[in-house]
Amino acid sequence: MDMKNNGVFEQFDYYRDTTIELLDSITSESKADIIPVGFNNSLRWNLGHILAAQEGIMFYFGKNETGFLPTSVLDAFKTGTSPKDWQTTPLTLKEIRELLIEQKERIRVTFAGEFKQPVANVFAFQDKKLTTIGDLFVFTLWHEGLHQGVIQSMQRIIPKRLGQN
């Protein structure tokens, strides 16, 4: 693995560890399901979406594979979905945590040394077309950070609503 890959994976470790810390700061399963006014989804959905989006983007677009998460998980957390439509909670916080940790190592093993490789399916985002594995991976890091910001914003609002810390 070259130094560039190493540096990007170090960033991935940092982002993913931050996501795990955010997850660990949620004090109850019920708090994870509140959808604050002005938001479309819950804390649980945002955490599951980080997991599902990285899996879908890296494996489908990168390798034209389904990845390793059950279709039910991918379907529950994909873009455009909402917990309002769930019949049951797809994953507990503990399950999301375990899958986020497992995914971090699996992504590293699967994609190390492949960042310059062309994607199996071009990923179009706004007016950009991502055409290498490395492009996809950097996008997923940005995406994870974006949802971390949403989670942090939600956490500032939710305690006020519940009268808790």
Side-chain angles (χ1 to χ4, degrees), residues 22-39:
L22 286 169
L23 187 152
D24 288 345
S25 72
I26 300 170
T27 56
S28 71
E29 292 283 332
S30 61
K31 189 182 255 190
D33 293 321
I34 295 169
I35 301 174
V37 174
F39 290 85

Side-chain angles (χ1 to χ4, degrees), residues 14-160:
Y14 173 76
Y15 285 125
R16 185 51 55 92
D17 292 348
T18 300
T19 297
I20 301 292
E21 288 172 15
L22 286 169
L23 187 152
D24 288 345
S25 72
I26 300 170
T27 56
S28 71
E29 292 283 332
S30 61
K31 189 182 255 190
D33 293 321
I34 295 169
I35 301 174
V37 174
F39 290 85
N40 296 321
N41 287 301
S42 64
L43 293 167
R44 183 187 316 274
W45 184 90
N46 276 277
L47 291 160
H49 179 68
I50 290 169
L51 175 73
Q54 180 142 47
E55 193 81 9
I57 290 168
M58 293 305 295
F59 284 92
Y60 173 74
F61 290 98
K63 293 190 166 286
N64 201 33
E65 296 175 1
T66 57
F68 296 87
L69 295 177
T71 303
S72 61
V73 171
L74 296 172
D75 288 346
F77 295 108
K78 68 184 175 187
T79 300
T81 61
S82 171
K84 295 173 189 171
D85 300 325
W86 294 344
Q87 300 303 311
T88 60
T89 302
L91 295 170
T92 65
L93 292 175
K94 182 180 178 188
E95 289 168 331
I96 293 171
R97 186 183 200 282
E98 290 168 358
L99 288 169
L100 285 166
I101 291 168
E102 182 273 331
Q103 184 185 59
K104 182 171 79 165
E105 184 58 27
R106 189 164 34 79
I107 292 283
R108 181 185 294 272
V109 168
T110 303
F111 295 99
E114 294 195 12
F115 287 175
K116 292 181 182 179
Q117 296 299 314
V119 296
N121 300 294
V122 173
F123 181 80
F125 177 72
Q126 296 177 354
D127 63 341
K128 309 287 185 252
K129 290 188 182 348
L130 307 181
T131 59
T132 68
I133 298 287
D135 293 343
L136 291 179
F137 192 59
V138 169
F139 174 83
T140 65
L141 298 182
W142 168 80
H143 179 263
E144 186 158 349
L146 176 75
H147 282 277
Q148 288 172 352
V150 171
I151 291 165
Q152 290 168 331
S153 295
M154 292 174 78
Q155 286 183 312
R156 283 193 291 275
I157 293 168
I158 291 171
K160 293 176 187 170

